[in-house]
């Protein structure tokens, strides 16, 4: 079991030397999917209760100015695990279910850094970073490589992409779980397999959810998906059991590693579409499956905490909870989320949502909990998931000065509550780039659509410079670019300088 070297009260401890005085804590990083700033009761939601997350927020630090690296999953996860802004690389957009691994195995990553410090590393849940060396060429019936292992995870139990993309199977240590070799899996993102039903042609087979847009290809477990697959019947997941399955594997990883330091990357499927929580969560909110999936997420968090407690390692475990991007209500399935939303505001006080350059695209819940070690408070510090790598490197005392970790900065002081300021600026990305400082947010002109009527999202794209005063107009309604040419120039210059370090490079 990990032991605290020093019994010093942290209240008296300065942040310098902090990491040196503590034995390597376990690190549990819980990554929700599409969970918005306003979706948790500790962030003000009233029609859904999240007591397990709230408990961690109450005894830890609840950040209100925290950001994912991008407004969708793949680029956010790329930035999180590599410490490099995803916009520096082509090919980091939303990955298909048969995409090749997008993180070059040569790169420095969060799990590799922690392995250097002696940690056992595990990735459980949604992956969405591609697998294998060539898009569309994976053999799903054999070992799929490169994958999590090659980028630093000793153990993995993952969904290849998202629940709405084939193949709908769990992959453990890079092999499909429960596969019958007599019924091999075939996957295609270009054409259907002859005779296989699709949501488009066989809507009568959609027993669980129907699409509202897209998602009308192969049908698995009564739900149609993106992409085509055939075979693998014994390995197919049931959507209602995904949370149970990944949570159980996360708990097993904790139990197996309780005697050594470990890093668990636990990326939930909740609350991404298709939302089809286990029936024990149905009706836990009056918001339909989207609300019930938030409750299911909270349950998963509770199970993780319980596992840490039963293993006797709760005290020396740092827990981080956040989301990969902002919220979306209709992301392609008719699950009543829109109809039942009413006064619930998944995006909190911010404008936009998932996919958007407006603030709700990347401003996400962010909670850091380390029982007995850090103060309980709300923090306004400007923090970003891009800093996970350098911050955990400092915590684990790994020197990364000679490594290529382009954009990640050590923000341990802010993450542990000793610094109320955080970063000077953060660059965000959706269709265009944004730069956010304590007061100002600048959105680069770009030619993306202003609104997506399918997802009902204001995307924040415009041909003109946009500048918002986030201290006085956090809802980004009043573009003050014309009145503040010097600030616009200053922020553009920083963006330009950042871009000059690399943009659109190949993976
Ligand atoms: C979109 C999907 C959406 C979701 C998203 C990725 C359609 C019409 N929409 O293309 O449902 O899967 O990709 O979400 O196919 S993310 O959170 O993983 O980035
Ligand atoms: Ca997401």
């Amino acid at each position: 079991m990990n032991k605290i070297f020093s019994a010093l009260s942290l209240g008296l401890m300065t942040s310098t030397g902090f990491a040196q005085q503590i034995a390597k804590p376990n690190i549990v990083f819980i990554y929700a999917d599409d969970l918005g700033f306003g979706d948790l009761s500790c962030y003000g939601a009233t029609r859904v209760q999240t007591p397990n997350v709230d408990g961690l927020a109450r005894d830890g630090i609840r950040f209100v100015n925290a950001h994912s690296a991008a407004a969708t999953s793949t680029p956010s996860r790329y930035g999180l695990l590599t410490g490099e802004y995803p916009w520096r690389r082509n090919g980091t957009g939303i990955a298909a279910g048969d995409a090749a691994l997008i993180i070059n195995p040569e790169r420095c990553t969060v799990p590799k850094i922690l392995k250097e410090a002696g940690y056992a590393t595990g990735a459980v849940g949604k992956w969405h970073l591609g697998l294998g060396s060539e898009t569309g060429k994976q053999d799903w019936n054999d070992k799929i490589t490169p994958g999590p292992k090659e980028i630093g995870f000793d153990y993995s139990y993952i969904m290849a992409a998202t629940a709405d993309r084939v193949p709908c199977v769990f992959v453990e240590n890079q092999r499909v779980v429960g596969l019958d070799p007599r019924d091999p899996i075939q996957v295609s993102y270009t054409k259907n397999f002859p005779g296989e039903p699709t949501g488009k042609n066989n809507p009568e087979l959609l027993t669980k959810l129907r699409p509202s847009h897209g998602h009308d290809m192969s049908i698995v477990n009564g739900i149609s998906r993106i992409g085509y697959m055939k075979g693998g019947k014994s390995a197919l997941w049931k959507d209602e059991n995904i949370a149970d399955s990944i949570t159980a594997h996360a708990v097993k990883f904790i139990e197996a590693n309780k005697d050594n330091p470990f890093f668990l990357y636990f990326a939930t499927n909740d609350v991404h579409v298709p939302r089809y929580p286990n029936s024990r969560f149905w009706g836990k909110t009056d918001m339909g499956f989207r609300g019930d999936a938030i409750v299911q997420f909270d349950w998963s968090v509770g199970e993780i905490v319980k596992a840490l407690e039963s293993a006797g390692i709760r005290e020396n475990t740092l827990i981080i909870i956040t989301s990969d991007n902002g919220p979306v209500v209709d992301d392609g399935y008719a699950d009543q989320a829109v109809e039942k939303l009413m006064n619930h505001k998944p995006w909190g006080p911010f404008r936009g949502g998932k996919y958007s350059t407006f603030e709700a695209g990347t401003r996400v819940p962010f909670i850091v909990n380390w029982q007995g070690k850090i103060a309980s408070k709300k923090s306004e510090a400007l923090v970003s998931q891009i800093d996970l790598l350098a911050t955990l490197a400092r915590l684990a005392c790994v020197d990364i000065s000679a490594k290529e970790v382009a954009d990640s900065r050590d923000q341990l002081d802010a993450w542990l509550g000793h610094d109320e300021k955080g970063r000077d600026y953060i660059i965000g990305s959706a269709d265009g780039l944004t730069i956010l400082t304590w007061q100002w947010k600048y959105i680069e002109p770009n030619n993306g659509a202003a609104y997506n009527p399918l997802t009902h999202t204001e995307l924040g794209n415009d041909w003109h410079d946009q500048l918002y005063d986030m201290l006085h107009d956090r809802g980004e309604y009043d573009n003050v670019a014309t009145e503040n040419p010097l600030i616009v120039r200053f922020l553009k210059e920083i963006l330009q300088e950042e871009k000059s370090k690399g943009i659109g490079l190949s993976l």
Side-chain angles (χ1 to χ4, degrees):
M1 192 192 306
N2 304 317
K3 290 266 178 339
I4 303 166
F5 285 146
S6 158
L8 277 179
S9 145
L10 286 186
L12 300 174
M13 206 183 278
T14 60
S15 58
T16 337
F18 178 87
Q20 283 73 19
Q21 295 180 54
I22 301 286
K24 287 163 191 160
N26 305 304
I27 300 159
V28 175
F29 184 85
I30 303 178
Y31 215 14
D33 199 347
D34 298 358
L35 186 77
F37 186 91
D39 273 329
L40 297 165
S41 37
C42 53
Y43 278 83
T46 54
R47 283 175 49 219
V48 55
Q49 295 307 312
T50 51
N52 293 304
V53 177
D54 295 4
L56 294 173
R58 197 176 45 241
D59 303 338
I61 306 179
R62 184 176 67 89
F63 289 84
V64 293
N65 201 354
H67 294 259
S68 56
T72 51
S73 151
T74 304
S76 277
R77 285 160 209 256
Y78 177 87
L80 178 88
L81 292 176
T82 64
E84 179 183 66
Y85 283 131
W87 51 266
R88 295 205 190 278
R89 302 276 164 187
N90 284 331
T92 53
I94 298 171
D98 66 348
L101 180 67
I102 65 159
I103 297 180
N104 185 332
E106 304 292 306
R107 280 203 79 89
C108 174
T109 63
V110 172
K112 280 190 193 170
I113 291 288
L114 294 172
K115 267 170 80 76
E116 248 183 67
Y119 278 68
T121 55
V124 176
K126 171 172 169 175
W127 184 241
H128 212 193
L129 290 162
L131 288 171
S133 54
E134 222 182 314
T135 295
K137 294 282 178 351
Q138 302 85 351
D139 179 354
W140 297 95
N141 308 289
D142 203 345
K143 186 155 190 185
I144 308 154
T145 184
K149 179 98 187 169
E150 287 67 27
I151 66 152
F153 288 108
D154 302 321
Y155 172 75
S156 58
Y157 180 84
I158 57 172
M159 305 159 71
T162 57
D164 59 350
R165 287 172 172 74
V166 302
C168 301
V169 293
F170 295 112
V171 182
E172 187 169 34
N173 293 330
Q174 295 167 224
R175 283 183 192 274
V176 170
V177 179
L179 184 66
D180 177 349
R182 289 164 302 180
D183 179 26
I185 294 178
Q186 295 176 67
V187 170
S188 168
Y189 271 74
T190 51
K191 57 176 189 334
N192 194 14
F193 299 96
E196 293 297 306
T198 62
K200 187 168 181 204
N201 297 329
N202 307 85
E204 74 284 359
L205 299 179
L206 299 175
T207 52
K208 291 190 168 154
L209 281 175
R210 283 166 187 266
S212 59
H213 58 272
H215 304 102
D216 59 358
M217 296 168 232
S218 283
I219 300 173
V220 177
N221 188 35
I223 300 172
S224 49
R225 321 271 167 167
I226 309 171
Y228 304 100
M229 79 173 288
K230 183 181 172 167
K233 196 158 185 284
S234 58
L236 299 175
W237 67 51
K238 287 205 165 16
D239 299 71
E240 54 272 42
N241 297 334
I242 291 175
D244 283 355
S245 179
I246 60 175
T247 304
H249 284 81
V251 165
K252 247 196 263 171
F253 178 82
I254 291 171
E255 287 166 352
N257 288 286
K258 66 182 185 348
D259 296 325
N260 51 267
F262 65 81
F263 168 56
L264 169 63
Y265 170 80
F266 179 50
T268 69
N269 169 51
D270 294 316
V271 298
H272 197 278
V273 297
R275 304 173 189 120
Y276 199 78
N278 191 277
S279 60
R280 65 184 191 278
F281 298 103
W282 293 8
K284 290 287 176 198
T285 67
D286 62 1
M287 293 192 283
F289 284 162
R290 187 174 187 281
D292 299 348
I294 298 174
V295 177
Q296 181 169 264
F297 169 74
D298 184 66
W299 168 82
S300 293
V301 171
E303 292 302 294
I304 300 287
V305 173
K306 261 195 247 163
L308 295 169
E309 277 165 1
S310 343
I313 52 175
R314 175 73 184 85
E315 290 236 326
N316 201 31
T317 301
L318 173 76
I319 305 174
I320 299 168
I321 300 181
T322 187
S323 176
D324 68 338
N325 50 252
V328 56
V329 181
D330 180 352
D331 209 13
Y333 289 92
D335 61 5
Q336 296 260 296
V338 174
E339 294 83 343
K340 295 187 168 177
L341 192 68
M342 296 186 290
N343 63 347
H344 176 67
K345 291 194 165 51
W347 39 82
F350 304 105
R351 193 170 176 186
K354 177 177 180 178
Y355 308 111
S356 182
T357 53
F358 281 141
E359 197 63 3
T362 56
R363 173 114 42 150
V364 286
F366 192 87
I367 294 161
V368 177
N369 177 289
W370 193 357
Q371 207 179 46
K373 315 288 191 309
I374 55 178
S376 148
K377 65 171 169 184
K378 165 177 145 184
S379 172
E380 313 253 352
L382 183 61
V383 295
S384 167
Q385 293 169 9
I386 202 79
D387 295 327
L388 187 75
L389 193 149
T391 300
L392 295 187
R394 160 124 171 266
L395 186 69
C397 303
V398 178
D399 178 11
I400 54 167
S401 54
K403 298 193 197 306
E404 195 206 338
V405 287
D407 303 303
S408 199
R409 302 283 174 268
D410 167 12
Q411 288 289 323
L412 190 65
D413 293 340
W415 289 31
L416 297 185
H418 306 301
D419 164 24
E420 276 293 320
K421 184 175 162 290
R423 278 186 156 252
D424 291 332
Y425 63 85
I426 293 174
I427 300 181
S429 53
D431 288 329
L433 296 184
T434 62
I435 176 163
L436 176 71
T437 67
W438 249 76
Q439 180 168 12
W440 301 103
K441 167 144 170 211
Y442 169 73
I443 306 178
E444 262 199 330
N446 74 84
N447 57 10
Y451 184 72
N452 182 341
L454 296 173
T455 59
H456 321 281
T457 312
E458 288 190 294
L459 296 169
N461 302 316
D462 197 293
W463 283 98
H464 303 100
D465 286 322
Q466 292 178 78
L467 180 73
Y468 299 99
D469 178 346
M470 300 304 285
L471 291 183
H472 303 100
D473 173 31
R474 62 183 178 176
E476 294 165 287
Y477 285 102
D478 193 9
N479 180 4
V480 292
T482 320
E483 296 92 307
N484 296 281
L486 289 180
I487 292 165
V488 168
R489 204 172 93 195
F490 175 66
L491 295 174
K492 271 179 153 171
E493 272 170 19
I494 301 178
L495 254 184
Q496 207 41 51
E497 195 189 314
E498 285 285 357
K499 288 200 229 170
S500 71
K501 296 183 213 157
I503 181 166
L505 306 170
S506 54
L507 283 169

